[in-house]
Amino acid sequence: MQAFVFQIAPMRVLFGVGSRERLGSELETLGAQRALIIADPSKAGLSSDLADLIGPRCVGVYDQVAPHVPIETAEAGRAEVKRTNADCCITVGGGSSTGLGKAIAMEIDVPIIAVPTTYAGSEMTPIWGLTQDGVKRTGRNPKVLPKVVLYDPELTATLPPQVAGPSCMNAMAHCVEALYAENANPVISLLAKEGISSLAESLPKVMRDPANLEGQSQALYGAWLAGLVLGSVGMALHHKLCHVLGGTFNTPHAETHAIILPYVAAFNVEAAPEARKYLEAALGTPKIASTLRQLCEASGGPVSLKALGLGETDLDTVAETATQAAYYNPRKITTEGIRQLLEDAYHGTMPQP
Ligand code: NAD
């Protein structure tokens, strides 16, 4: 067995239908008296229910949440925490709400309780993101990691299938890359494998019947594991390509991950035999890349870069940008190799194996 380092962040996770109702007792455990709810505006009903639940310990609901945490949004959120003298932030919503909570915790010493309503997984990671002058910077800081996460499958049941499907694929991508991470370790690999099988099984269920809480529980469990592995080990080529595509061409986050994943898997698996074993076990087939491609199709989103509106010449830009700086990947990265991968993803051809 290869030598490894295992480190995991200290945090508390409450999982299950109705777990949001335990918000009050979690505030008590933290010793918080003045909680500010930071919520996606589309979650106004849920925020108001949570505010009622904690009564006078709620000092307000702040809903100025925006995608990718613009710096102005972060500064306004920090000012609101100071104005209300909050001693805790409760984030309610997807990665954008969690992201604002993290941007606040970077600068102000307040614990976060996260109540996720999507499968994004940000609540499990110490990774922050801030957008300034159109450029998104990310980094890691243990200060931004929520102290408590309440995963309640009733809250993801309102996700429309066209959002839920690609979001499951995005979570799956974190698990796939965790298996061949530079600092991979056997415990994280077990979690990643479990995450992949949960997400693969639940994806068609949450698409077909969003109100089915068994399917939602399985998907949210997979999303939790995906966030956990993303926060614990490094990522590689897949995340780099999606970052370049999103940053340069503003392609949609989850859909881009869903399209690219099968092609990166096809590119990397031969060079990562351990990861390959875990993937085969998780998906129940040696046909890893083609199965991921089928799942991408089942997720209801586009299956090719062409369908996202990219032109063939854009692929050169992506290949060049993605190979400029050195980073870890199990298989050697060359501009030609990446260009071919992108070409396949552009046409959405069925990858092998
Ligand atoms: P999001 O929070 O912007 O939510 C996406 C959309 O879904 C929004 O329109 C929102 O209003 C809606 N929505 C949220 N919950 C819903 C529900 N239950 N029912 C119906 N609609 C709902 O985005 P996201 O997809 O959750 O997360 C993506 C963002 O998170 C990206 O900015 C990404 O970079 C970031 N992210 C960060 C990390 C990290 O570790 N820092 C990890 C994953 C994602």
Side-chain angles (χ1 to χ4, degrees):
M1 183 182 267
Q2 288 233 312
F4 61 87
V5 174
F6 175 75
Q7 187 173 345
I8 204 147
M11 63 195 305
R12 188 171 153 81
V13 170
L14 284 79
F15 190 100
V17 173
S19 61
R20 65 187 184 279
E21 278 150 28
R22 292 164 74 182
L23 182 59
S25 59
E26 290 306 309
L27 277 178
E28 235 157 76
T29 308
L30 285 177
Q33 299 294 332
R34 301 181 56 78
L36 178 67
I37 296 180
I38 293 175
D40 187 312
S42 77
K43 294 283 128 208
L46 173 61
S47 310
S48 149
D49 290 350
L50 293 176
D52 288 348
L53 188 73
I54 59 175
R57 284 174 294 176
C58 177
V59 294
V61 176
Y62 186 71
D63 70 356
Q64 301 302 301
V65 170
H68 303 298
V69 199
I71 186 77
E72 300 76 17
T73 308
E75 280 164 3
R78 290 167 189 157
E80 185 65 6
V81 170
K82 287 185 189 154
R83 190 190 70 76
T84 54
N85 196 22
D87 62 3
C88 175
C89 288
I90 300 167
T91 59
V92 179
S96 300
S97 305
T98 316
L100 176 55
K102 287 175 161 183
I104 291 168
M106 263 170 93
E107 298 283 327
I108 304 174
D109 211 5
V110 279
I112 299 175
I113 299 181
V115 185
T117 65
T118 72
Y119 313 126
S122 172
E123 63 284 346
M124 289 307 299
T125 84
I127 304 166
W128 54 265
L130 276 176
T131 305
Q132 189 164 15
D133 300 327
V135 180
K136 186 167 177 179
R137 287 182 299 127
T138 59
R140 285 182 183 246
N141 184 340
K143 271 180 77 175
V144 309
L145 190 74
K147 292 277 180 289
V148 180
V149 183
L150 303 180
Y151 280 112
D152 190 332
E154 274 178 343
L155 304 184
T156 48
T158 51
L159 281 171
Q162 70 274 18
V163 177
S167 192
C168 281
M169 292 301 293
N170 177 28
M172 207 178 303
H174 305 328
C175 297
V176 171
E177 291 239 291
L179 289 173
Y180 52 65
E182 187 170 24
N183 53 349
N185 69 67
V187 178
I188 291 298
S189 295
L190 283 175
L191 300 178
K193 176 185 152 225
E194 175 82 350
I196 293 165
S197 51
S198 298
L199 289 160
E201 266 181 47
S202 59
L203 187 149
K205 296 182 192 170
V206 297
M207 301 275 307
R208 200 172 45 240
D209 183 8
N212 180 316
L213 294 181
E214 271 309 307
Q216 286 297 345
S217 299
Q218 204 179 13
L220 199 55
Y221 171 61
W224 165 45
L225 295 173
L228 181 52
V229 301
L230 171 68
S232 305
V233 294
M235 298 286 116
L237 176 64
H238 172 84
H239 282 73
K240 178 72 179 182
L241 284 178
C242 293
H243 189 80
V244 172
L245 281 160
T248 316
F249 299 102
N250 204 19
T251 57
H253 180 79
E255 286 79 358
T256 307
H257 277 269
I259 293 168
I260 292 293
L261 183 62
Y263 301 97
V264 173
F267 184 84
N268 274 338
V269 283
E270 288 303 329
E274 270 299 300
R276 185 186 185 133
K277 270 191 259 167
Y278 280 111
L279 274 163
E280 287 180 358
L283 295 170
T285 170
K287 296 179 177 172
I288 295 164
S290 52
T291 303
L292 290 172
R293 171 64 168 68
Q294 280 156 10
L295 283 166
C296 171
E297 202 159 340
S299 77
V303 294
S304 69
L305 291 177
K306 192 175 180 181
L308 283 188
L310 255 74
E312 254 186 288
T313 50
D314 297 333
L315 306 182
D316 298 325
T317 313
V318 180
E320 272 158 37
T321 315
T323 48
Q324 260 161 16
Y327 53 91
Y328 171 79
N329 190 61
R331 178 171 161 190
K332 191 173 181 309
I333 290 168
T334 60
T335 312
E336 299 70 43
I338 301 309
R339 181 65 176 76
Q340 184 58 53
L341 183 164
L342 291 167
E343 180 82 29
D344 294 342
Y346 178 80
H347 293 291
T349 46
M350 186 57 79
Q352 299 300 327

